[in-house]
Amino acid sequence: MKEITSKFEKVLQASTSYGKVNHEPDSSKEVQRNTPKKSMPFSDQIGNYQRNKGIPPKSFENSKVYIVGSGIGGMATAYYFIRDGHIPAANITFLEQLHIEGGSLDGAGNPTDGYIIRGGREMDMTYENLWDMFQDIPALEMPAPYSVLDEYRLINDNDSNYSKARLIHNRGEVKDFSTFGLSKKDQLAIIKLLLKKKEDLDDLTIEDYFSTSFLESNFWMFWRTMFAFENWHSLLELKLYMHRFLHAIDGLNDLSSLVFPKYNQYDTFVTPLRKFLQSKGVKIEFHTLLKDLDMHSNTEGKWVEGLIIERKGTAAKIPIGKEDYVIVTTGSMTEDTFYGDNKTAPIITLDNSTSGQSSGWKLWKNLAAKSPVFGKPEKFCSNIEKSSWESVTLTCKPSALVEKLKEYSVNDPYSGKTVTGGIISITDSNWLMSFTCNRQPHFPNQPDDVLVIWVYSLFMDKEGNYIKKTMPQCTGDEVLTELCYHMGIIDQLDNVLENTLVRTAFMPYITSMFMPRAKGDRPRVVPEGCKNLGLIGQFVETNNDVVFTMESSVRTARIAVYKLLNLNKQVPDINPLQYDIRHLLKAAKTLNDDKPFLGEGLLRKVLKGTYFEHILPGKEETEEEHESFLAEQVNKFKDWFKNIRS
């Protein structure tokens, strides 16, 4: 777009980097050094300098964009096409199979029939791409010019999050959750994992690497229940998570490192983003299923030439030109969900022989059949006993359950402030059950006397401790009974059942993106050779980011737009706190249950009284007293020795 850059043409024509931007720089491979020819920021340099607007190399005024799936990734793609690609919003169309937008970020229901949330996402302050977008999206409840980010900050800056009952056992007793309980051998194993190259971890599982003592530690209980990891999941993904959230490790046990929205994530994020896009002119076609892509390949590359769709039951084909773009969400975490309620269990009509046949997975399989660059979807959808779990949403009137919940809560559940501060995990539950009550109301239309509680379990093949069935075999009332047993209120069960609506959701693929994988199993965001096709979501490859977060969905969307349009703008790599010496030292001490790590005493002596003294992790008062006592004895010895010499 020459009119934008006309006054800079001499510089741009002479530049060797203009039009050749690495849109997805990799901080794990970059040596951060300034050189005469370096002009772009370092790969993970974050901050306002990265807020420059992308300048398209040409006009895309006549380009059409089709985005398959209207989840957070698809919506973010539309946002970046508009903001940085300058593509007219009216040229962007969503093709959505369902009757509602939002994808896996759902939240629905009412107090009469019960609310339902299939899952939630832990939120972090370092989600640079998510906040980059939501600082521009008008707020849900605050007036202009305030944004979703402004609302989020307002509530979290004034209502800190933490848990006072992270673990319970023995039918409702709070269990000590102050320590990780890692042996020196297991601490060393974590450090060695952080040092390993990603390329060396293909297809390895967590239990392939870690010892039994690690898998039985409090640390693993905190980790697996917070992030929904299983022992048989990908060791590579665990490593990426450890790097990604290294800065938050000292808040892992009490969840003080987390921040939560006021409402559920559909109302908090999806609703305002959808309103913004539609106000700009973006179109959403519901009940429209993409069955396959008509692609053409030659020595120059791969182009999508048509979309084979089914619109409200009628087959059709949408022609795609070379100047048009197609964005596809590959795979699905929540497809084939089976539902139940108080009196019915989910009727699961799926096993490994029939899995991966629903529309989202079939689309990816059709794509993968065209070229190896599109990955191997069968690695992720063919072993549902290892990728499934069940969640439960409780709509609660005042009852014994609510009274018991108050004992575990940081604030009164009806106060609008932090309640449990995150999940409470039941360590002696055969199902490994956890539950949480977020800020209430959790839905904008929720009555004042109703609470919404979310429950989930990781073990789908074990009988309950009280109900002798597996969780998927249970009705909602039976799941609620098992929960009441573990909370120590089984004698008040009738009162709880009478005042609680239960909605259950069994999800066969909910952690399928955690399945062991190797290089090439997931496609790149813009697969090799593709000229007008981008792939987004939880089943595509990024350099260092993790899956199962809203941030990863937005990151893949942003990469797709920047690469396909060849914008003069980078997507920064993950927040570089993993390289910050302060967080590395803090992690070493935290893993050792806040006892001094090897060499800490020497570091304290070297840095004492210097500008850098504060980089060392804080000390407990008893530790300071101990060191003061030792110092006093050392000084007495020095004085005694001086007297002897004199």
Side-chain angles (χ1 to χ4, degrees):
M1 300 177 73
K2 299 291 186 181
E3 66 274 12
I4 296 177
T5 59
S6 60
K7 298 295 185 181
F8 301 86
E9 281 305 301
K10 286 185 179 180
V11 173
L12 298 181
Q13 291 297 328
S15 172
T16 58
S17 58
Y18 187 63
K20 299 176 183 177
V21 173
N22 177 8
H23 300 98
E24 190 186 4
D26 187 348
S27 64
S28 70
K29 295 179 179 174
E30 179 189 47
V31 177
Q32 296 205 356
R33 184 182 180 189
N34 289 301
T35 63
K37 292 186 178 181
K38 178 170 177 55
S39 58
M40 297 292 282
F42 294 125
S43 53
D44 54 5
Q45 185 171 316
I46 58 173
N48 289 331
Y49 192 73
Q50 297 282 23
R51 282 284 286 167
N52 63 302
K53 291 180 172 60
I55 302 173
K58 61 180 183 179
S59 173
F60 296 101
E61 187 176 351
N62 297 317
S63 295
K64 294 180 180 178
V65 176
Y66 292 92
I67 302 173
V68 181
S70 61
I72 191 70
M75 288 187 166
T77 306
Y79 168 80
Y80 284 111
F81 268 127
I82 295 168
R83 191 192 81 175
D84 291 330
H86 300 186
I87 288 182
N91 292 8
I92 300 174
T93 302
F94 284 98
L95 305 179
E96 173 57 62
Q97 177 191 358
L98 302 175
H99 68 287
I100 190 171
E101 74 289 338
S104 297
L105 284 182
D106 54 8
N110 57 67
T112 303
D113 303 311
Y115 295 100
I116 185 164
I117 317 141
R118 283 184 291 185
R121 309 287 180 273
E122 264 96 15
M123 301 294 294
D124 191 88
M125 299 176 189
T126 65
Y127 287 174
E128 302 300 333
N129 296 286
L130 182 83
W131 302 127
D132 174 79
M133 177 173 66
F134 277 110
Q135 67 180 308
D136 291 337
I137 303 303
L140 181 71
E141 294 181 328
M142 292 172 68
Y146 295 102
S147 71
V148 171
L149 175 60
D150 296 326
E151 281 186 324
Y152 208 96
R153 287 291 305 267
L154 183 65
I155 195 162
N156 281 283
D157 290 354
N158 294 284
D159 180 29
S160 60
N161 188 84
Y162 64 96
S163 171
K164 73 172 194 179
R166 177 63 180 87
L167 304 176
I168 64 172
H169 67 159
N170 293 340
R171 297 182 61 186
E173 293 180 12
V174 176
K175 184 178 181 180
D176 178 25
F177 57 94
S178 61
T179 63
F180 284 173
L182 291 167
S183 68
K184 289 290 191 292
K185 177 186 69 173
D186 293 327
Q187 293 176 46
L188 183 60
I190 292 174
I191 294 170
K192 286 182 176 179
L193 179 61
L194 292 171
L195 294 173
K196 284 184 179 293
K197 290 185 176 182
K198 294 177 288 186
E199 296 79 7
D200 296 336
L201 304 178
D202 283 358
D203 284 325
L204 289 177
T205 68
I206 293 163
E207 58 193 356
D208 286 337
Y209 178 81
F210 282 107
S211 67
T212 301
S213 61
F214 173 87
L215 298 175
E216 293 176 351
S217 68
N218 267 2
F219 175 89
W220 186 235
M221 176 64 70
F222 298 140
W223 191 281
R224 74 183 313 176
T225 52
M226 179 174 171
F227 295 120
F229 272 92
E230 303 273 22
N231 294 359
W232 51 80
H233 281 155
S234 167
L235 180 65
L236 171 59
E237 191 62 32
L238 176 62
K239 172 184 169 65
L240 293 174
Y241 259 77
M242 287 183 169
H243 287 278
R244 185 71 171 84
F245 297 110
L246 183 75
H247 63 278
I249 197 166
D250 57 330
L252 185 63
N253 59 332
D254 64 6
L255 304 175
S256 58
S257 57
L258 299 181
V259 284
F260 287 101
K262 178 181 178 183
Y263 296 126
N264 66 85
Q265 292 177 333
Y266 177 86
D267 286 302
T268 299
F269 297 111
V270 176
T271 297
L273 183 53
R274 185 252 304 155
K275 287 181 178 178
F276 171 82
L277 294 174
Q278 287 183 319
S279 73
K280 294 291 184 182
V282 171
K283 297 182 287 292
I284 303 178
E285 291 190 14
F286 294 112
H287 304 291
T288 302
L289 170 65
L290 176 65
K291 304 189 78 171
D292 202 359
L293 302 176
D294 181 11
M295 297 197 67
H296 174 74
S297 300
N298 59 27
T299 55
E300 295 180 2
K302 301 177 179 67
W303 279 270
V304 179
E305 293 189 330
L307 304 180
I308 301 167
I309 68 168
E310 189 177 286
R311 185 184 285 123
K312 296 182 179 179
T314 302
K317 183 175 180 179
I318 301 173
I320 302 295
K322 283 197 172 183
E323 298 299 317
D324 299 334
Y325 298 94
V326 176
I327 305 295
V328 175
T329 305
T330 55
S332 173
M333 296 184 295
T334 51
E335 209 155 64
D336 288 328
T337 300
F338 298 93
Y339 297 97
D341 55 29
N342 286 73
K343 303 304 178 185
T344 61
I347 301 174
I348 301 167
T349 58
L350 193 70
D351 57 27
N352 287 337
S353 65
T354 56
S355 65
Q357 297 303 309
S358 47
S359 57
W361 293 103
K362 286 181 74 172
L363 176 60
W364 186 11
K365 287 181 176 181
N366 289 340
L367 197 56
K370 302 178 195 301
S371 171
V373 301
F374 297 121
K376 300 175 182 176
E378 64 278 0
K379 290 284 289 279
F380 304 96
C381 64
S382 303
N383 209 342
I384 62 174
E385 67 270 15
K386 292 187 175 182
S387 65
S388 61
W389 44 257
E390 185 173 339
S391 72
V392 182
T393 311
L394 307 179
T395 303
C396 307
K397 289 275 195 174
S399 71
L401 176 63
V402 172
E403 291 305 307
K404 187 66 178 180
L405 179 73
K406 290 178 180 179
E407 297 179 19
Y408 302 136
S409 298
V410 175
N411 297 294
D412 186 290
Y414 299 102
S415 67
K417 300 180 68 176
T418 293
V419 185
T420 61
I423 58 171
I424 296 172
S425 297
I426 306 167
T427 61
D428 53 359
S429 163
N430 288 349
W431 295 346
L432 191 48
M433 179 184 275
S434 299
F435 61 95
T436 181
C437 184
N438 293 319
R439 293 184 181 102
Q440 303 291 312
H442 202 47
F443 290 82
N445 66 345
Q446 187 177 318
D448 292 341
D449 64 340
V450 168
L451 297 181
V452 174
I453 299 173
W454 187 78
V455 184
Y456 95 110
S457 299
L458 282 173
F459 298 158
M460 297 293 97
D461 60 337
K462 301 185 187 313
E463 290 186 348
N465 301 74
Y466 188 81
I467 300 294
K468 301 303 180 182
K469 297 180 182 179
T470 65
M471 188 178 185
Q473 293 173 331
C474 289
T475 66
D477 280 351
E478 289 172 326
V479 173
L480 184 56
T481 300
E482 183 76 7
L483 177 62
C484 288
Y485 169 78
H486 284 294
M487 293 177 75
I489 54 172
I490 195 69
D491 58 329
Q492 301 176 77
L493 179 62
D494 289 343
N495 170 259
V496 175
L497 292 175
E498 183 181 348
N499 290 285
T500 310
L501 295 171
V502 185
R503 303 278 295 274
T504 63
F506 177 84
M507 296 167 283
Y509 314 112
I510 188 60
T511 47
S512 53
M513 59 282 172
F514 284 171
M515 293 298 287
R517 65 177 188 269
K519 184 178 181 179
D521 290 342
R522 304 189 309 189
R524 299 299 300 189
V525 174
V526 178
E528 183 181 355
C530 289
K531 304 299 183 182
N532 66 348
L533 173 65
L535 307 178
I536 62 172
Q538 304 299 316
F539 297 92
V540 292
E541 199 67 53
T542 60
N543 291 328
N544 296 298
D545 213 346
V546 300
V547 294
F548 214 6
T549 67
M550 290 173 63
E551 169 72 357
S552 53
S553 291
V554 180
R555 174 181 295 279
T556 58
R558 200 175 180 187
I559 292 170
V561 173
Y562 290 12
K563 278 182 175 286
L564 289 172
L565 302 187
N566 194 25
L567 300 180
N568 65 320
K569 190 170 169 63
Q570 296 171 315
V571 180
D573 207 341
I574 65 172
N575 194 296
L577 292 177
Q578 60 170 318
Y579 301 116
D580 188 326
I581 187 64
R582 294 169 297 179
H583 291 288
L584 289 168
L585 292 172
K586 178 183 71 175
K589 187 158 188 170
T590 302
L591 290 174
N592 199 35
D593 287 333
D594 281 331
K595 299 184 183 76
F597 54 82
L598 185 64
E600 181 180 339
L602 179 60
L603 270 176
R604 289 197 181 279
K605 288 181 180 178
V606 170
L607 297 178
K608 187 173 179 60
T610 73
Y611 178 81
F612 293 100
E613 183 176 13
H614 72 284
I615 71 172
L616 290 165
K619 296 192 296 182
E620 296 292 335
E621 188 175 338
T622 53
E623 186 181 332
E624 291 176 351
E625 291 172 355
H626 179 66
E627 289 202 4
S628 297
F629 173 77
L630 287 176
E632 182 183 347
Q633 303 312 309
V634 169
N635 288 332
K636 286 182 178 179
F637 175 78
K638 286 180 179 178
D639 292 341
W640 175 80
F641 190 67
K642 284 180 182 178
N643 291 332
I644 293 294
R645 291 187 64 184
S646 62

